[in-house]
């Protein structure tokens, strides 16, 4: 199916564990993004990528790692999860700044 | 840096009422986007505006690109329960990488049947 998919939809992990959130898009869009959404903060950009093998930090990158070896995939890894990383994470893709398409999100709880 | 200020932060309205919300910036934008986020889902693009003064409709939704290019407005007529959600405005991040958007913090809409 065409679109952008995130997995898992829900995840509970323990403090200190490494966890990877997956994002896959089928349009071959150049740009991909990771956001976190927290009450009172809106959408905050974690990392973005303009093309395969090109990534850059957003507003809140600390504690996160990304890679983009293939255009269609943009996984986000929390190297050592902390409670402050409990959030809803959204992946998005676009071909220009004329509009993103978002995934359905991953709700991550760190206990 | 660029910031988008949305108001109001939240609204509680009765079904059937009209809704107005706005987004302002200290910087000029050449594109304004409006997104809606349903509970438990990702934001979805509702309307895109590309020209100052432009007025664009999508069903009961109408958005306007302010003539100063520093603001945009979204109106919803005759609200229904499925209008519930968070509405975000967005515009290009001219200070960042090409292709990036910046988002307002959203207007949360609640509709009472």
């Amino acid at each position: 199916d065409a679109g952008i998919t995130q997995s898992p939809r829900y995840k509970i992990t323990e403090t200190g564990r490494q966890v990877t959130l997956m994002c896959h898009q089928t349009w071959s869009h150049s740009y991909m993004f990771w956001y976190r959404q927290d009450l009172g903060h809106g959408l905050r950009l974690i990392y973005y990528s303009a093309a395969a093998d090109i990534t850059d930090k957003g507003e809140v990158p600390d504690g996160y790692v990304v890679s983009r070896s293939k255009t269609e995939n943009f996984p986000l890894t929390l190297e050592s999860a902390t409670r402050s990383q409990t959030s809803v994470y959204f992946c998005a893709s676009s071909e220009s700044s004329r509009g993103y398409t978002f995934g359905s999100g991953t709700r991550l709880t760190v206990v | 840096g660029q910031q988008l200020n949305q108001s109001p932060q939240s609204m509680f309205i009765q079904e059937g009422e009209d809704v107005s919300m706005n987004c302002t910036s200290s910087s000029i934008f050449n594109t304004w986007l409006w997104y809606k986020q349903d509970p438990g889902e990702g934001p979805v693009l509702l309307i895109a505006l590309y020209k100052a003064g432009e007025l664009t409709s999508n069903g009961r939704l109408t958005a306007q690109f302010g003539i100063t290019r520093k603001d945009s407005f979204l109106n919803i007529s005759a609200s229904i329960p499925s209008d519930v959600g968070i509405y975000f405005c967005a515009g290009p991040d001219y200070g960042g990488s090409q292709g990036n958007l910046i988002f307002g913090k959203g207007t949360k809409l609640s509709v009472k049947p």
Side-chain angles (χ1 to χ4, degrees), chain A residues 9-98:
Chain A
R9 194 72 199 270
Y10 302 91
K11 177 75 177 177
I12 299 175
T13 192
E14 294 178 339
T15 300
R17 297 257 188 177
Q18 179 176 291
V19 60
T20 296
L21 310 184
M22 305 301 292
C23 180
H24 175 79
Q25 52 108 350
T26 60
W27 297 294
S28 299
H29 282 167
S30 298
Y31 296 95
M32 294 189 75
F33 309 87
W34 275 106
Y35 286 86
R36 60 178 290 175
Q37 185 176 31
D38 306 287
L39 202 62
H41 291 282
L43 293 161
R44 291 186 291 175
L45 182 64
I46 304 170
Y47 268 95
Y48 62 96
S49 169
D53 297 322
I54 300 174
T55 63
D56 210 343
K57 296 177 181 179
E59 181 186 354
V60 289
D62 293 344
Y64 302 96
V65 174
V66 293
S67 62
R68 194 159 176 214
S69 56
K70 292 185 178 181
T71 300
E72 60 267 30
N73 296 324
F74 192 37
L76 176 74
T77 297
L78 287 67
E79 295 184 294
S80 177
T82 65
R83 289 202 178 92
S84 66
Q85 292 176 310
T86 292
S87 186
V88 181
Y89 291 84
F90 288 101
C91 178
S93 73
S94 79
E95 198 48 49
S96 71
S97 61
R98 289 199 161 194

Side-chain angles (χ1 to χ4, degrees), chain B:
Chain B
Q2 293 172 282
Q3 277 190 332
L4 294 179
N5 301 306
Q6 283 189 250
S7 65
Q9 284 188 330
S10 60
M11 305 179 74
F12 296 86
I13 62 168
Q14 198 79 29
E15 182 177 0
E17 288 183 1
D18 295 342
V19 173
S20 290
M21 61 187 78
N22 68 70
C23 188
T24 60
S25 171
S26 57
S27 308
I28 288 174
F29 282 83
N30 59 24
T31 299
W32 286 96
L33 306 170
W34 284 94
Y35 284 83
K36 183 197 176 193
Q37 184 180 24
D38 288 327
E41 296 295 329
V44 173
L45 183 64
L46 295 173
I47 293 177
L49 302 161
Y50 302 114
K51 191 175 173 184
E54 181 181 355
L55 194 70
T56 297
S57 293
N58 179 1
R60 293 177 296 104
L61 277 62
T62 301
Q64 183 164 20
F65 193 139
I67 56 172
T68 66
R69 296 166 64 193
K70 292 184 178 181
D71 54 15
S72 180
F73 308 90
L74 179 68
N75 297 311
I76 306 172
S77 62
S79 60
I80 58 178
S82 63
D83 291 332
V84 162
I86 304 175
Y87 293 79
F88 293 98
C89 62
D93 181 5
Y94 297 119
S97 173
Q98 183 180 2
N100 285 17
L101 294 175
I102 60 169
F103 288 85
K105 291 191 176 180
T107 292
K108 186 174 183 179
L109 179 64
S110 301
V111 179
K112 194 173 180 182

